[in-house]
Amino acid sequence: MLDQGAPPQQRSRTAPASPGPVGRLMRRKPVEHLVAEGGQGEGGSLRRSLGLWQLTMISIGATLGTGIFVVLGEAVPKAGPAVTLSFVIAGLTALFSALSYAELAGTIPVAGSSYSYAYATMGELIAWICGWCLVLEYGVSVAAVAVGWGEYLNELLDGTIGVTIPDALSAPPGDGGIFNLPALVVVLLAMAFLLGGARESARANTVMVAVKIAALVLFCAIGVQGFRSGNYEHFMPLGMAGVSAAGATLFFSYIGFDAASTAGEEAKNAQRDLPRAIMLSLVIVTALYVLVAAVAVGAKPWQRFGDSEAALAQIMREVTGQSFWGTLLAFCAVIAIASVVLTVLYGQTRILFAMSRDGLVPKVFSRVHPKTGTPRTNTVIVSLFCGVLAAAIPLGQLADATSIGTLFAFGLVNIAVVVLRRTRPEMPRTFRVPLSPVLPALGLAFCVWMMGSLSAVTWVVFGVWMAVGLVFYFLYGHRRSRLAAPAPSEK
């Protein structure tokens, strides 16, 4: 009774009201708590062993190769020769989002990437939605890239020993096969590297990145000899709609740059190096993508790109009239695509590590092995899931599903950077998005536009995925969230 006449400020001090249902959904995790928990897991801690060079190579390793070696054959029939423009549009969309990622990665250097950024700025429900999109982005991306790896493995086997893996064991159901065994194998190989530790995985990735860059430079040097200007006469045969549709598919090729942000708790100087690694990798990757796409379309009529995911190896054979160069490129592609599987799988495990530490997914995902400093159980579970997915689902469906999850998460990052600027303007930032909030708004607009270019089937898959995620959140994560537990003074 005495409290009823007290001023509102006094009442809140003496008897803090528990948040209502909406308040619990919007509870935010302080940035200081996110940073203080960096590296800590169940039973051990992640090891800080990665510098700027390793972080940049992780970002390039997760990005370079996916669109050129795998998805180019899917995108060219949608846009024709204008696929080069599609790469530029997808690259601009990635650039706007990369600027926001760079600022947030330098401000909140943690393993959760955009999931953690959303948790600190927009609340738990939005963070969960973002994290669930990242599971789709990373997990399905691993599967999609693994499918393309099998295509190039067959090219390599055919060019060296004249034998290929039968369709029944190298293609998923719906593409003339029963089970894609090579796709499962490459995921399991990546799992073996990751179980050895972050530093060891980074070293292996650096070697593979060097091989893939050399392979693409070699392709341009040889492919330009078969360049025919007539292949560009009808530059945009399917109109701007085709360009945007191809761009939405090709955005799948740019998801790797944010893999560096998932290494925030294993970087030696995360606040300084993460923004640099993100921007540097995106510039390198975009330049190579546009150059290789321009040479590829100039050397081969766009109407003939839909017959194989191993398009670059075929172009090398056709231009030189010899199987050696195509076989050499296939060998480099096998190594290059394996690095994408390795680094994207790494990112997936670190996203789940952060969500598990917050209580939103089971604790098993944040359990760290004391000897290797890695979430071993997490790695095994994610690898088996992605491997089975890769063995059972066709590439095109996987790529589009990955794109929509990526675009949604990137859109949230563009919002988060503006929100954090307004709510915590005093925080030190090692990188700042220029012309904010204009460029983050453009990044959000590009993401929405490209999501609208995806097919209705992709939207249905995305809707089902999000519905499943929300059911899991309300039945498990919402109740077990660490923010849901009362503070010691309130117990």
PDB file of all heavy atoms in Angstrom, residues 25-39:
ATOM      1  N   LEU A  25      10.433 -11.244 -25.153  1.00  0.00           N
ATOM      2  CA  LEU A  25      10.846 -11.519 -26.528  1.00  0.00           C
ATOM      3  C   LEU A  25      11.868 -10.495 -27.014  1.00  0.00           C
ATOM      4  O   LEU A  25      12.689 -10.800 -27.876  1.00  0.00           O
ATOM      5  CB  LEU A  25       9.639 -11.517 -27.465  1.00  0.00           C
ATOM      6  CG  LEU A  25       8.595 -12.611 -27.247  1.00  0.00           C
ATOM      7  CD1 LEU A  25       7.425 -12.410 -28.197  1.00  0.00           C
ATOM      8  CD2 LEU A  25       9.205 -13.987 -27.447  1.00  0.00           C
ATOM      9  N   MET A  26      11.829  -9.286 -26.455  1.00  0.00           N
ATOM     10  CA  MET A  26      12.694  -8.214 -26.914  1.00  0.00           C
ATOM     11  C   MET A  26      13.907  -7.993 -26.010  1.00  0.00           C
ATOM     12  O   MET A  26      14.649  -7.031 -26.201  1.00  0.00           O
ATOM     13  CB  MET A  26      11.897  -6.903 -27.017  1.00  0.00           C
ATOM     14  CG  MET A  26      10.710  -6.975 -27.966  1.00  0.00           C
ATOM     15  SD  MET A  26      11.207  -7.447 -29.653  1.00  0.00           S
ATOM     16  CE  MET A  26      12.151  -6.001 -30.106  1.00  0.00           C
ATOM     17  N   ARG A  27      14.115  -8.888 -25.016  1.00  0.00           N
ATOM     18  CA  ARG A  27      15.249  -8.689 -24.106  1.00  0.00           C
ATOM     19  C   ARG A  27      16.560  -8.739 -24.883  1.00  0.00           C
ATOM     20  O   ARG A  27      16.788  -9.598 -25.730  1.00  0.00           O
ATOM     21  CB  ARG A  27      15.235  -9.745 -23.006  1.00  0.00           C
ATOM     22  CG  ARG A  27      15.195 -11.170 -23.485  1.00  0.00           C
ATOM     23  CD  ARG A  27      14.771 -12.122 -22.375  1.00  0.00           C
ATOM     24  NE  ARG A  27      14.598 -13.488 -22.888  1.00  0.00           N
ATOM     25  CZ  ARG A  27      13.830 -14.408 -22.292  1.00  0.00           C
ATOM     26  NH1 ARG A  27      13.210 -14.116 -21.158  1.00  0.00           N
ATOM     27  NH2 ARG A  27      13.717 -15.614 -22.805  1.00  0.00           N
ATOM     28  N   ARG A  28      17.435  -7.788 -24.553  1.00  0.00           N
ATOM     29  CA  ARG A  28      18.705  -7.654 -25.267  1.00  0.00           C
ATOM     30  C   ARG A  28      19.873  -8.071 -24.372  1.00  0.00           C
ATOM     31  O   ARG A  28      19.822  -7.903 -23.157  1.00  0.00           O
ATOM     32  CB  ARG A  28      18.909  -6.223 -25.755  1.00  0.00           C
ATOM     33  CG  ARG A  28      17.945  -5.810 -26.851  1.00  0.00           C
ATOM     34  CD  ARG A  28      18.192  -4.390 -27.308  1.00  0.00           C
ATOM     35  NE  ARG A  28      17.856  -3.427 -26.262  1.00  0.00           N
ATOM     36  CZ  ARG A  28      17.978  -2.108 -26.386  1.00  0.00           C
ATOM     37  NH1 ARG A  28      18.455  -1.606 -27.521  1.00  0.00           N
ATOM     38  NH2 ARG A  28      17.657  -1.300 -25.420  1.00  0.00           N
ATOM     39  N   LYS A  29      20.901  -8.569 -24.983  1.00  0.00           N
ATOM     40  CA  LYS A  29      22.101  -8.965 -24.251  1.00  0.00           C
ATOM     41  C   LYS A  29      23.119  -7.840 -24.348  1.00  0.00           C
ATOM     42  O   LYS A  29      23.516  -7.456 -25.456  1.00  0.00           O
ATOM     43  CB  LYS A  29      22.685 -10.255 -24.844  1.00  0.00           C
ATOM     44  CG  LYS A  29      23.811 -10.848 -24.008  1.00  0.00           C
ATOM     45  CD  LYS A  29      24.201 -12.219 -24.520  1.00  0.00           C
ATOM     46  CE  LYS A  29      25.276 -12.843 -23.637  1.00  0.00           C
ATOM     47  NZ  LYS A  29      25.646 -14.204 -24.091  1.00  0.00           N
ATOM     48  N   PRO A  30      23.543  -7.280 -23.235  1.00  0.00           N
ATOM     49  CA  PRO A  30      24.484  -6.150 -23.285  1.00  0.00           C
ATOM     50  C   PRO A  30      25.761  -6.494 -24.052  1.00  0.00           C
ATOM     51  O   PRO A  30      26.281  -7.612 -23.962  1.00  0.00           O
ATOM     52  CB  PRO A  30      24.779  -5.872 -21.804  1.00  0.00           C
ATOM     53  CG  PRO A  30      23.598  -6.431 -21.068  1.00  0.00           C
ATOM     54  CD  PRO A  30      23.166  -7.622 -21.857  1.00  0.00           C
ATOM     55  N   VAL A  31      26.255  -5.516 -24.785  1.00  0.00           N
ATOM     56  CA  VAL A  31      27.477  -5.719 -25.561  1.00  0.00           C
ATOM     57  C   VAL A  31      28.624  -6.146 -24.657  1.00  0.00           C
ATOM     58  O   VAL A  31      29.430  -7.019 -25.010  1.00  0.00           O
ATOM     59  CB  VAL A  31      27.842  -4.434 -26.326  1.00  0.00           C
ATOM     60  CG1 VAL A  31      29.191  -4.580 -27.016  1.00  0.00           C
ATOM     61  CG2 VAL A  31      26.765  -4.092 -27.341  1.00  0.00           C
ATOM     62  N   GLU A  32      28.700  -5.549 -23.477  1.00  0.00           N
ATOM     63  CA  GLU A  32      29.785  -5.876 -22.552  1.00  0.00           C
ATOM     64  C   GLU A  32      29.759  -7.342 -22.160  1.00  0.00           C
ATOM     65  O   GLU A  32      30.813  -7.981 -22.008  1.00  0.00           O
ATOM     66  CB  GLU A  32      29.698  -4.990 -21.305  1.00  0.00           C
ATOM     67  CG  GLU A  32      29.987  -3.525 -21.537  1.00  0.00           C
ATOM     68  CD  GLU A  32      28.844  -2.761 -22.205  1.00  0.00           C
ATOM     69  OE1 GLU A  32      27.719  -3.324 -22.300  1.00  0.00           O
ATOM     70  OE2 GLU A  32      29.065  -1.618 -22.636  1.00  0.00           O
ATOM     71  N   HIS A  33      28.557  -7.908 -21.992  1.00  0.00           N
ATOM     72  CA  HIS A  33      28.444  -9.326 -21.650  1.00  0.00           C
ATOM     73  C   HIS A  33      28.892 -10.200 -22.822  1.00  0.00           C
ATOM     74  O   HIS A  33      29.565 -11.220 -22.635  1.00  0.00           O
ATOM     75  CB  HIS A  33      27.005  -9.664 -21.264  1.00  0.00           C
ATOM     76  CG  HIS A  33      26.587  -9.060 -19.968  1.00  0.00           C
ATOM     77  ND1 HIS A  33      25.363  -9.315 -19.375  1.00  0.00           N
ATOM     78  CD2 HIS A  33      27.224  -8.198 -19.121  1.00  0.00           C
ATOM     79  CE1 HIS A  33      25.276  -8.630 -18.246  1.00  0.00           C
ATOM     80  NE2 HIS A  33      26.392  -7.942 -18.078  1.00  0.00           N
ATOM     81  N   LEU A  34      28.512  -9.803 -24.022  1.00  0.00           N
ATOM     82  CA  LEU A  34      28.912 -10.568 -25.202  1.00  0.00           C
ATOM     83  C   LEU A  34      30.439 -10.628 -25.327  1.00  0.00           C
ATOM     84  O   LEU A  34      31.016 -11.693 -25.563  1.00  0.00           O
ATOM     85  CB  LEU A  34      28.326  -9.926 -26.467  1.00  0.00           C
ATOM     86  CG  LEU A  34      26.837 -10.150 -26.736  1.00  0.00           C
ATOM     87  CD1 LEU A  34      26.346  -9.186 -27.804  1.00  0.00           C
ATOM     88  CD2 LEU A  34      26.577 -11.580 -27.163  1.00  0.00           C
ATOM     89  N   VAL A  35      31.082  -9.480 -25.151  1.00  0.00           N
ATOM     90  CA  VAL A  35      32.529  -9.426 -25.298  1.00  0.00           C
ATOM     91  C   VAL A  35      33.222 -10.165 -24.154  1.00  0.00           C
ATOM     92  O   VAL A  35      34.215 -10.874 -24.362  1.00  0.00           O
ATOM     93  CB  VAL A  35      33.004  -7.960 -25.374  1.00  0.00           C
ATOM     94  CG1 VAL A  35      34.524  -7.886 -25.436  1.00  0.00           C
ATOM     95  CG2 VAL A  35      32.397  -7.264 -26.590  1.00  0.00           C
ATOM     96  N   ALA A  36      32.697 -10.015 -22.939  1.00  0.00           N
ATOM     97  CA  ALA A  36      33.319 -10.655 -21.771  1.00  0.00           C
ATOM     98  C   ALA A  36      33.289 -12.173 -21.868  1.00  0.00           C
ATOM     99  O   ALA A  36      34.177 -12.864 -21.360  1.00  0.00           O
ATOM    100  CB  ALA A  36      32.625 -10.198 -20.491  1.00  0.00           C
ATOM    101  N   GLU A  37      32.261 -12.719 -22.528  1.00  0.00           N
ATOM    102  CA  GLU A  37      32.139 -14.175 -22.662  1.00  0.00           C
ATOM    103  C   GLU A  37      32.997 -14.742 -23.794  1.00  0.00           C
ATOM    104  O   GLU A  37      33.027 -15.950 -23.995  1.00  0.00           O
ATOM    105  CB  GLU A  37      30.677 -14.549 -22.938  1.00  0.00           C
ATOM    106  CG  GLU A  37      29.756 -14.356 -21.751  1.00  0.00           C
ATOM    107  CD  GLU A  37      28.316 -14.674 -22.112  1.00  0.00           C
ATOM    108  OE1 GLU A  37      28.029 -14.845 -23.317  1.00  0.00           O
ATOM    109  OE2 GLU A  37      27.481 -14.750 -21.204  1.00  0.00           O
ATOM    110  N   GLY A  38      33.685 -13.884 -24.518  1.00  0.00           N
ATOM    111  CA  GLY A  38      34.414 -14.311 -25.706  1.00  0.00           C
ATOM    112  C   GLY A  38      35.317 -15.507 -25.461  1.00  0.00           C
ATOM    113  O   GLY A  38      36.177 -15.478 -24.585  1.00  0.00           O
ATOM    114  N   GLY A  39      35.095 -16.566 -26.238  1.00  0.00           N
ATOM    115  CA  GLY A  39      35.925 -17.759 -26.160  1.00  0.00           C
ATOM    116  C   GLY A  39      35.491 -18.793 -25.161  1.00  0.00           C
ATOM    117  O   GLY A  39      35.937 -19.940 -25.206  1.00  0.00           O
TER     118      GLY A  39
END
